[in-house]
Amino acid sequence: MNLVWLVSLSVLFVGAFSEAISKPGVVNIGAIFTVGTINGRVAKIAMEAAVDDVNSDPNVLGGRKLVLSLHDSNFSGFLGIVGALQYMETDTVAIIGPQHSGMAHVLSHLANELHVPFLSFTALDPTLSPLQYPYFVQTAPNDLFQMTAIAEMVSYYGYMEVTAVFSDDDQSRNGITTLGDKLAERRCKISFKSAVPPDPLATREQVMDELVKVRMMESRVIVLHTYSKTGLLVFDVAQELGMMESGYVWITSTWLSNVLDSTPVSPNTSSSIQGVLTLRPHTPNSEMKRVFTSRWNKLSNGSIGLNPYGLYAYDTVWMIANAIKLFFDRGGTISFSNNSNLNGLGGGALNLSALSTFDGGKQLLSNILATNMTGLTGPSGFNPDRSVIHPSYDIINVIGTGFREIGYWSNYSGLSVVPPETLYGKPPNRSSSNQQLFSVLWPGGTEIQPRGWVFPNNGRQLRIGVPKRVSYQEFVSQVEGTDMVQGYCIDVFLAAIKLLPYAVPYKFILFGDGHKNPNYAELVNMITSNVFDAAVGDIAIVTNRTKIVDFTQPYAESGLVIVAPVKKLRSNAWAFLRPFTPLMWGVTAAFFLTVGVVVWILEHRINDEFRGPPKKQIITILWFSFSTMFFAHRENTVSTLGRLVLIIWLFVVLIINSSYTASLTSILTVQQLSSPVKGIDSLITSNEPIGYQIGSFAENYLIEELNVAKSRLIALGSPEAYRTALEKGTVAAVVDERPYVEIFLSDYCRFQIVGQEFTKSGWGFAFPRDSPLAIDMSTAILTLSENGDLQKIHDKWLNKRGCGSQSSQNQSDQLQLQSFWGLFLICGIACLLALIIYLCLMLRQFSQHYTDSSEPSRHGSSRSARLQKFLSFADEREEIWKSESKRKRMEMLSRANERELESMDGSKRVADICHEKYNVDT
C-alpha cells in the first residue's frame, strides 16, 4: 500500500483536528484501541486511572497535565490509521497502541517519519523488529516468549507434533511461524495449520469447515492462537464435533486467560473449555498490585474484571510519564516542525502540511527505553534487544467454572512450579530434570495424559514398503503365487501392531524386481519422498538412515562380521612340544641343569646328601635338577643360599608348568583355524577381494568408513554365491550382517567367522521423521521382548540345524590319543629299557647265585624247575638274596679252607709216612 496515498485518504476524515494547538502546560498522549474488546475495555479504564494518578502527583510533571485521548478503531485498521493521523496533527508526543499488530506494521512507518513513539502492550507480533521500527516499543512480553513457553510445554509432555489453529492476520500468522521455529528447536513440529478469519469476521460455518479438517489429522495436540470472540466460537464448535473429549490436548495463547479473568463464564462456555491449558502474563504479587486490584471494582463499576494487560496499560502510562519528566528535567521543550518530505503536499483539501515532526521524539524514545521503575507488573524496563525484562507466564488449567495454576514459565528457568521472581536470585537451570509442572485435568475430565495423536481418519491405508528378497527368505519373502509376505520380520511387525491401542489400516507393497535383493538405502529414501509411509523388513539401523527417518526400537541385534574359509589344523604325535619353541625348550633344560649345579655347589660341604663318590654326585645333580619340575626332589637343602635359590627356581618352575599346561590345553581343545584373514584389520591391509551381499549397507560402510577401494568389492547375491566365491578364491572373505552369516554357517561348515564383530547395530522398522507411530511401535516391540513372544518368533523362523550333531561336537572337543602317543611311546620305551636292564641284572645275579652244582643232570633235566627257581629268586627281597649270597660265599670259603686244611693234613701224613719210611730205611 502506498503510504502517501493512505495518508492523503485518511486526512479527509480529520478536518476538525487540523488546526488544533495544544494548550500551554498540557502534554498530549493518545491511545488507539478497539474499545469493544476485552483488552480495549480493560485498557481504557487502567490508562485513565494511571493518568489521574500521574496528574495527582505534582512531582511527576511539575504542574503540567497529562492529557490522554482515546481513539476507538472498532476492529478497523483504516480507522486506526485515521486516529494516528489525528494525533500527529495535535502535537501528540506519544501514542499507546495500536491494539493489533497488523495496524502496528503500518503505523510504525508513520512513527519513524514523524518521531512519535508508539507503545503497545497488545500488538506483540515478534516480527516487529526494533531495527526496522525503532519508534515502536512493545511494553509487554511479545509472542516470541509466549510461543517459546508453548513449545516447552509441548516438549515437556513428550508430544512431537501439533496442529495450529489461528486467526488469519499478521499477529497470529507470525506468532504461529515463531511457534514452528521454537518447536523445531526441540525436534517437534506443526503438522497441520488451520487459518480462520480474524475477529469479528469468523462465522460458525467457516470454523466448522476448518475443525473438520483438523479432526481428520493424526495430531490431537491443538494450539489455538486467536482472539476472544473467535476463540470461544472455536471451542463451541469443537465441543459439537466431539473434539473436547478424552484424547485431545488444547493449548491456547493468553486470550483465554483474559476471558477467564475479565468476564463471567457461562456453564456452556465452561464445559466447552474444560481441561484446556492456557497462558497468562505473570505479574508478581506486590503491595502496589494489591492496592490497585482493590480499586478496580470502583474504577470499572463492576463492569469487567482486571487482567494482566490492564496492569501493563497502567504501567505504560507511567512509563511515558517518567520519560516526559526526565525529558523536562534535562531542559527539553515540546516542539514540532514541518516535515521536509511533505513540502509541496500542503495545498488542496488534504492539508498534509498539518502533519509535523516531534523535535524531541528521539530523546523521549531514549528515555522510554532507559526506564527503570517498579510498577504493577513488577520491575519494568528493557533488555538490550528492547524486549521487556523478565518475560514470564502463568500456566493455567481450566477446571469446571474456574481454573488453577499448574506452574510457571520464565525465560530465565523454563517450566517451574516455583514463581519466577523466587528463581531470579538463583543460577539459571533449564535442564530437563529441572522442568516441572503440577498435574493436569485434561479434556474429558481425565488425569491420564493423552497420547496426543491417533491414526489419521482419512480413509487411506498405511503404505508399507517390504523388500522382495531372493536370498535369506527366512527374514522376509513373498508367498509364492500371492501378494502376501511372510517371514521373521513380518511376524514381528504383525505381533507389534496388534498391541497398539488403536487400529492401523495398512497394506504391504513389495519393493524389488525379484531377481536380486533390493537396495535398502533406496527403500528408506522412498519414505522421505512419500512413496511409502513406512518400511518393514531386515533394515539395519545405521547413521545415514537415522538422519532421514525414525526407527523403532531394534527387534534384532546385528552388526558386520567377516566370514572366511578355514581349515582345522590336525593334531600330531608331537603336539605336546608345540607350547614351547625350540629355544624355549633348550633354555629351560639348561636352567634345570644350572640350578642343579648351583645347589650342589652350595650344599656340597655341609650336606651329606650331596657328598659321595663322583658317580653318585653326578646322578644326584641330574635327579635333583629334573625332579624339581614335578616338585618331587627328595634331597634336603640346609644352606640359606641354597634354599633361596631353590625357592626362586620353584616359583619359576610353577609359572613354566602353568603356562605349558594352559597353552597345551588351548592347542588341543580349541579349534585352531588357518586363514590369512584374522580380522577386519588384516582384511583392510591386504589387497584381497571382499564379498558383500547385494543391497546391504556393508558396501557403503567399507568404502566410506573403512576407505576400502571399490574395485576390491564384489557383490554376491545368495549363500550359494558366498560358498562358491570363497571356495574358488574369488574373494578372500565375505563381510555381511551377523544374522545372515549365522544362517550361512549353519549350512556350510567349512567356513567360520573370523575376528570380532566390528560394528554394532540392530534391525528396526522405518517411519517418517517424528512419526508418533514409531514411538508406539517401539513400546510394542519392548512388550514383545519382555513377554517372550519375540524369542518365540525368532525360534519359529531362525532355529537352524548346526554343523553335525551334538555328539560329534562333544567328540571333537575330547582329547584324542593321537595327540599323546609320542609321550606314551617315550614312556613305553623307557619302561621297556628299564625292564630289559633289570632283567639282565637279575639273570646275572641268578646265574651268580645258582652256579652249576655237582648235580648238573638234575638242574638241566627240568626246565620248569629251573624257571620256578628263577621266579622264586625274583620274588625274594634283595636283602634276603644278599644275605643268602653272603652266607653261600662264606660256606664256599669255609669249604675251600677245609679242603686246603685237608690237603695240608694229607701232605703232612705223607710226609710223616715218608719220614718214618726214610727213618726206617736209614
Side-chain angles (χ1 to χ4, degrees):
M1 180 183 292
N2 189 295
L3 181 62
V4 175
W5 177 85
L6 182 62
V7 171
S8 301
L9 182 63
S10 303
V11 169
L12 293 174
F13 295 88
V14 296
F17 300 88
S18 61
E19 301 297 334
I21 304 294
S22 59
K23 299 179 181 178
V26 173
V27 179
N28 293 320
I29 63 173
I32 303 174
F33 278 89
T34 297
V35 179
T37 62
I38 292 176
N39 283 340
R41 293 164 60 192
V42 171
K44 178 178 182 299
I45 298 171
M47 289 186 296
E48 290 174 346
V51 169
D52 291 341
D53 292 343
V54 168
N55 290 334
S56 64
D57 187 350
N59 295 323
V60 179
L61 296 180
R64 299 177 180 87
K65 294 294 183 182
L66 190 65
V67 177
L68 172 68
S69 299
L70 180 63
H71 176 78
D72 184 3
S73 60
N74 195 25
F75 297 102
S76 172
F78 175 74
L79 292 181
I81 296 173
V82 170
L85 292 173
Q86 290 177 350
Y87 293 136
M88 299 301 181
E89 294 179 354
T90 56
D91 297 342
T92 301
V93 300
I95 298 174
I96 301 175
Q99 185 171 347
H100 299 298
S101 296
M103 217 184 304
H105 281 279
V106 176
L107 297 184
S108 293
H109 292 284
L110 190 62
N112 290 348
E113 186 68 27
L114 302 180
H115 295 181
V116 177
F118 276 71
L119 291 81
S120 180
F121 48 86
T122 54
L124 303 176
D125 185 349
T127 65
L128 287 166
S129 167
L131 297 177
Q132 184 180 7
Y133 307 120
Y135 280 87
F136 183 81
V137 180
Q138 294 169 325
T139 60
N142 68 39
D143 285 347
L144 170 66
F145 303 105
Q146 182 174 200
M147 296 306 157
T148 302
I150 293 176
E152 291 200 6
M153 291 167 61
V154 171
S155 177
Y156 172 80
Y157 289 114
Y159 300 126
M160 303 301 297
E161 296 184 7
V162 304
T163 296
V165 179
F166 59 95
S167 292
D168 195 9
D169 62 4
D170 288 346
Q171 180 158 326
S172 297
R173 274 196 307 270
N174 293 334
I176 292 300
T177 300
T178 302
L179 174 63
D181 295 339
K182 293 301 177 181
L183 287 171
E185 292 175 3
R186 293 154 179 82
R187 291 203 62 186
C188 307
K189 68 177 182 179
I190 299 175
S191 59
F192 183 72
K193 295 180 180 180
S194 176
V196 296
D199 278 359
L201 304 177
T203 64
R204 190 176 187 86
E205 289 73 20
Q206 291 171 323
V207 172
M208 178 76 73
D209 291 342
E210 292 301 318
L211 290 188
V212 168
K213 298 177 185 176
V214 171
R215 191 176 62 173
M216 299 290 289
M217 299 297 109
E218 65 181 21
S219 174
R220 287 294 185 263
V221 181
I222 304 172
V223 175
L224 181 57
H225 184 43
T226 181
Y227 307 100
S228 57
K229 182 178 179 181
T230 302
L232 293 177
L233 178 59
V234 167
F235 279 124
D236 187 34
V237 176
Q239 185 179 30
E240 181 180 339
L241 294 175
M243 299 174 66
M244 298 308 300
E245 298 174 356
S246 178
Y248 282 86
V249 176
W250 286 85
I251 303 175
T252 79
S253 51
T254 56
W255 68 266
L256 182 56
S257 64
N258 291 338
V259 173
L260 298 174
D261 288 333
S262 299
T263 61
V265 178
S266 67
N268 289 338
T269 300
S270 176
S271 63
S272 67
I273 59 176
Q274 173 76 20
V276 175
L277 297 178
T278 186
L279 299 178
R280 173 204 286 143
H282 177 73
T283 56
N285 294 324
S286 65
E287 182 62 20
M288 291 179 60
K289 179 180 174 181
R290 186 192 65 79
V291 171
F292 185 78
T293 302
S294 63
R295 291 173 54 195
W296 182 257
N297 284 335
K298 182 178 180 181
L299 294 172
S300 64
N301 293 322
S303 60
I304 194 169
L306 176 64
N307 65 46
Y309 289 106
L311 304 179
Y312 279 109
Y314 184 92
D315 284 353
T316 300
V317 172
W318 271 98
M319 195 176 293
I320 295 173
N322 288 330
I324 294 173
K325 178 181 183 298
L326 184 60
F327 177 81
F328 286 137
D329 290 344
R330 294 178 176 177
T333 59
I334 296 177
S335 62
F336 295 83
S337 60
N338 294 330
N339 188 289
S340 59
N341 292 330
L342 296 178
N343 292 340
L345 298 177
L350 294 178
N351 194 22
L352 294 178
S353 60
L355 302 176
S356 56
T357 300
F358 178 29
D359 298 327
K362 185 175 182 180
Q363 182 59 47
L364 182 61
L365 175 65
S366 178
N367 293 347
I368 291 172
L369 295 177
T371 296
N372 184 13
M373 71 177 199
T374 300
L376 300 181
T377 58
S380 298
F382 299 93
N383 294 311
D385 62 354
R386 290 179 51 169
S387 63
V388 298
I389 60 173
H390 304 320
S392 55
Y393 294 89
D394 301 334
I395 301 177
I396 297 173
N397 181 206
V398 180
I399 300 176
T401 58
F403 55 86
R404 68 184 180 97
E405 294 180 358
I406 61 169
Y408 308 90
W409 178 91
S410 71
N411 197 44
Y412 185 78
S413 58
L415 302 176
S416 174
V417 294
V418 180
E421 57 271 17
T422 304
L423 299 175
Y424 291 146
K426 302 178 181 179
N429 185 355
R430 297 185 67 97
S431 65
S432 58
S433 61
N434 195 57
Q435 305 300 293
Q436 187 177 2
L437 294 174
F438 289 122
S439 61
V440 175
L441 187 66
W442 302 96
T446 178
E447 293 184 355
I448 300 175
Q449 180 183 331
R451 185 172 59 249
W453 82 284
V454 295
F455 199 81
N457 186 22
N458 53 18
R460 184 175 63 86
Q461 291 180 316
L462 200 67
R463 299 163 300 175
I464 300 178
V466 177
K468 190 176 183 180
R469 295 195 59 90
V470 296
S471 63
Y472 298 116
Q473 295 191 356
E474 298 90 341
F475 297 104
V476 58
S477 63
Q478 181 182 9
V479 178
E480 187 175 355
T482 69
D483 292 332
M484 301 174 62
V485 290
Q486 64 180 3
Y488 168 66
C489 304
I490 301 300
D491 279 6
V492 173
F493 175 79
L494 295 177
I497 211 166
K498 289 179 181 178
L499 296 178
L500 299 182
Y502 47 86
V504 178
Y506 62 88
K507 61 178 178 179
F508 292 124
I509 302 175
L510 289 168
F511 173 72
D513 57 12
H515 301 293
K516 63 180 180 179
N517 292 331
N519 188 302
Y520 281 49
E522 294 180 5
L523 173 60
V524 172
N525 285 330
M526 294 180 77
I527 297 176
T528 64
S529 59
N530 201 33
V531 176
F532 295 133
D533 298 312
V536 170
D538 46 337
I539 304 172
I541 304 173
V542 293
T543 303
N544 60 342
R545 296 174 184 173
T546 59
K547 295 178 180 178
I548 58 176
V549 298
D550 280 350
F551 282 94
T552 62
Q553 170 79 14
Y555 61 86
E557 294 183 359
S558 182
L560 293 180
V561 294
I562 302 170
V563 59
V566 293
K567 295 180 180 178
K568 185 173 181 179
L569 296 180
R570 294 184 177 276
S571 185
N572 56 54
W574 307 103
F576 68 91
L577 295 175
R578 286 169 56 192
F580 291 160
T581 64
L583 180 61
M584 179 64 180
W585 280 115
V587 171
T588 302
F591 264 90
F592 272 107
L593 294 176
T594 302
V595 170
V597 173
V598 170
V599 171
W600 179 82
I601 293 172
L602 296 173
E603 297 287 325
H604 179 67
R605 297 185 64 189
I606 60 175
N607 194 337
D608 291 339
E609 294 186 3
F610 290 86
R611 297 184 65 86
K615 181 179 179 181
K616 177 183 177 182
Q617 295 307 300
I618 293 174
I619 295 174
T620 300
I621 291 173
L622 294 176
W623 164 256
F624 179 82
S625 297
F626 291 101
S627 63
T628 58
M629 182 187 302
F630 310 104
F631 307 98
H633 51 284
R634 66 187 179 186
E635 292 79 10
N636 293 323
T637 53
V638 296
S639 68
T640 303
L641 292 176
R643 290 176 176 177
L644 178 61
V645 170
L646 184 59
I647 288 174
I648 295 175
W649 175 242
L650 290 178
F651 178 73
V652 173
V653 170
L654 175 64
I655 300 300
I656 292 175
N657 283 344
S658 301
S659 302
Y660 177 85
T661 302
S663 179
L664 184 62
T665 301
S666 176
I667 289 172
L668 299 179
T669 60
V670 178
Q671 189 181 37
Q672 301 296 306
L673 305 176
S674 63
S675 172
V677 179
K678 304 300 181 183
I680 187 62
D681 293 332
S682 63
L683 184 62
I684 293 175
T685 55
S686 70
N687 292 319
E688 298 293 333
I690 304 171
Y692 69 92
Q693 183 181 176
I694 295 175
S696 170
F697 76 95
E699 178 185 15
N700 289 336
Y701 185 86
L702 291 171
I703 295 173
E704 298 174 3
E705 300 296 333
L706 302 182
N707 298 319
V708 176
K710 188 173 183 179
S711 59
R712 291 179 58 191
L713 302 183
I714 298 177
L716 303 172
S718 67
E720 292 77 12
Y722 287 10
R723 178 183 60 81
T724 302
L726 289 170
E727 289 180 346
K728 291 184 177 180
T730 307
V731 297
V734 173
V735 174
D736 205 352
E737 295 179 64
R738 178 176 286 277
Y740 304 127
V741 170
E742 288 176 348
I743 291 180
F744 171 73
L745 294 179
S746 69
D747 292 327
Y748 301 102
C749 304
R750 295 186 296 276
F751 308 98
Q752 185 76 7
I753 294 176
V754 296
Q756 300 293 322
E757 191 173 34
F758 57 93
T759 66
K760 289 291 185 182
S761 62
W763 288 351
F765 305 134
F767 291 89
R769 290 297 297 271
D770 303 322
S771 170
L773 189 56
I775 299 175
D776 287 356
M777 286 293 287
S778 294
T779 303
I781 290 171
L782 287 175
T783 302
L784 292 175
S785 177
E786 292 170 358
N787 62 22
D789 289 346
L790 194 61
Q791 184 62 42
K792 293 177 182 177
I793 298 173
H794 178 277
D795 295 341
K796 171 186 175 183
W797 288 97
L798 305 181
N799 265 0
K800 302 289 288 185
R801 67 184 186 278
C803 292
S805 64
Q806 185 66 32
S807 61
S808 64
Q809 180 66 32
N810 292 337
Q811 184 179 359
S812 66
D813 291 339
Q814 293 174 347
L815 299 178
Q816 304 297 319
L817 178 62
Q818 62 181 3
S819 299
F820 296 95
W821 75 266
L823 283 175
F824 289 129
L825 177 63
I826 292 175
C827 184
I829 293 174
C831 292
L832 181 61
L833 290 175
L835 287 174
I836 292 173
I837 294 171
Y838 178 73
L839 181 60
C840 291
L841 292 175
M842 289 289 294
L843 290 174
R844 180 173 175 270
Q845 293 171 3
F846 180 76
S847 63
Q848 289 177 353
H849 182 63
Y850 294 100
T851 57
D852 290 340
S853 62
S854 58
E855 303 174 338
S857 60
R858 179 183 173 185
H859 292 84
S861 62
S862 178
R863 292 183 179 179
S864 61
R866 187 175 179 84
L867 178 60
Q868 184 177 3
K869 197 72 173 178
F870 175 77
L871 293 177
S872 233
F873 171 77
D875 188 50
E876 290 179 351
R877 292 182 61 182
E878 187 173 358
E879 291 81 359
I880 298 175
W881 169 78
K882 287 181 179 180
S883 62
E884 185 176 350
S885 179
K886 183 177 180 182
R887 182 181 60 79
K888 287 183 178 182
R889 285 196 301 270
M890 292 298 293
E891 289 178 353
M892 291 176 63
L893 181 61
S894 176
R895 289 176 182 174
N897 289 335
E898 288 177 357
R899 285 194 297 269
E900 183 179 357
L901 290 175
E902 290 176 354
S903 176
M904 289 178 64
D905 290 343
S907 296
K908 184 177 180 182
R909 286 194 299 270
V910 170
D912 288 344
I913 293 172
C914 289
H915 180 69
E916 289 177 356
K917 182 178 181 180
Y918 175 74
N919 287 334
V920 170
D921 290 340
T922 301

